[in-house]
Amino acid sequence: MSRYVAMAGVRQTDGREVSSPARAARRGAVVGAVALALVGAGASAGAVSDSPAGAPVVGGAVVNSGHDVIVGITRDVVFPVTVTGSDDSGLSFADVDLKGPHGGFYTTDAFCETATSCTTTFTVNAHPAPGSDDPVDLANANAGTWSVDALVDAVDGDSVFAPGAGSFALKRAARLTVDAAPEPVVKGARITVTGKLVRANWDTYRYAGYAGRAVKLQFRPKGSSTYTTVATVNTSSTGTLRTTVKAVKDGYWRWNFPGSSTTGPAKAAGDYVDVRS
């Protein structure tokens, strides 16, 4: 699927774009009718749907079961989008568009599995599929908050268009490393903890250092299952981390990045240090 907006009259089924002029014309008619209804009712632009009498009602859309969608550089990320609503005849079909920053766009459709719920599946990847002549699916500028538009059909043939039915965060994947040394160490001596925070670059298909981010240094004593934050360190211009701490007891050291508006969270695996008296 392309991140570029599809031309009017194009719809996607099973990953293929199929021309559907009649449906496109109907979408335009439905959108116009709903827009007039919204203006007449004085509804806000952010309303999910304000349907004409007898038309389906869209209650909302949930993406990836309410979780962020986090994408690396090579693997497909598959996630569901569920549109819910109601109609006296039941819902039958939904066209779903995902719209993101700087022209980010995906579209697909699905038959509704129940009278009140329609679930479709999206597949995204920063890298074009092998042999594909499509442009790159994702660019760094596309990371951030995305919205969901839904055009929903009822069994009796009525339709409603619901712009902004939902929203979600599409983020670049992050990774963290850690190294605590020396090991073993004498109790009371200093331990140097280093690491590096990198994130997926959707433009180059590589992971690169994430500069200027606050990362927590955490410690878990031997025999415990709980990590405690002991310091917060900002990454360098290349994403590196470095600090020193006092050796007190045996345990595990790790870095923990909570994530940002464009980048997912990351935790390093704990590095064990044996502290000897």
Side-chain angles (χ1 to χ4, degrees), residues 60-74:
V62 176
V63 179
N64 200 29
S65 302
H67 303 294
D68 293 345
V69 178
I70 300 175
V71 182
I73 58 174
T74 57

Side-chain angles (χ1 to χ4, degrees), residues 91-166:
L91 305 183
S92 65
F93 194 83
D95 281 337
V96 181
D97 295 342
L98 307 183
K99 298 179 179 179
H102 295 271
F105 184 84
Y106 287 93
T107 184
T108 191
D109 50 41
F111 288 99
C112 301
E113 65 273 19
T114 74
T116 59
S117 178
C118 313
T119 298
T120 186
T121 300
F122 285 84
T123 301
V124 302
N125 195 327
H127 207 289
S132 172
D133 58 1
D134 286 341
V136 176
D137 281 327
L138 287 172
N140 290 338
N142 299 138
T145 300
W146 286 54
S147 63
V148 182
D149 293 351
L151 175 62
V152 179
D153 296 345
V155 174
D156 61 12
D158 290 336
S159 296
V160 67
F161 178 65

Side-chain angles (χ1 to χ4, degrees), residues 62-247:
V62 176
V63 179
N64 200 29
S65 302
H67 303 294
D68 293 345
V69 178
I70 300 175
V71 182
I73 58 174
T74 57
R75 296 183 180 179
D76 288 345
V77 175
V78 182
F79 58 94
V81 177
T82 299
V83 178
T84 56
S86 61
D87 184 79
D88 54 7
S89 68
L91 305 183
S92 65
F93 194 83
D95 281 337
V96 181
D97 295 342
L98 307 183
K99 298 179 179 179
H102 295 271
F105 184 84
Y106 287 93
T107 184
T108 191
D109 50 41
F111 288 99
C112 301
E113 65 273 19
T114 74
T116 59
S117 178
C118 313
T119 298
T120 186
T121 300
F122 285 84
T123 301
V124 302
N125 195 327
H127 207 289
S132 172
D133 58 1
D134 286 341
V136 176
D137 281 327
L138 287 172
N140 290 338
N142 299 138
T145 300
W146 286 54
S147 63
V148 182
D149 293 351
L151 175 62
V152 179
D153 296 345
V155 174
D156 61 12
D158 290 336
S159 296
V160 67
F161 178 65
S167 64
F168 68 102
L170 181 65
K171 298 184 177 183
R172 296 158 64 178
R175 294 176 179 174
L176 260 176
T177 59
V178 65
D179 182 41
E183 196 283 318
V185 66
V186 177
K187 184 175 182 179
R190 305 296 292 182
I191 299 171
T192 299
V193 186
T194 58
K196 187 170 186 178
L197 174 64
V198 297
R199 63 172 173 168
N201 186 320
W202 293 340
D203 296 334
T204 64
Y205 318 131
R206 298 177 182 274
Y207 277 85
Y210 196 7
R213 310 311 302 185
V215 181
K216 299 175 182 178
L217 176 64
Q218 299 181 322
F219 177 70
R220 174 169 66 88
K222 180 180 179 180
S224 171
S225 60
T226 303
Y227 276 94
T228 301
T229 299
V230 299
T232 300
V233 179
N234 288 334
T235 57
S236 72
S237 60
T238 59
T240 59
L241 293 154
R242 182 185 181 90
T243 192
T244 60
V245 292
K246 187 176 181 180

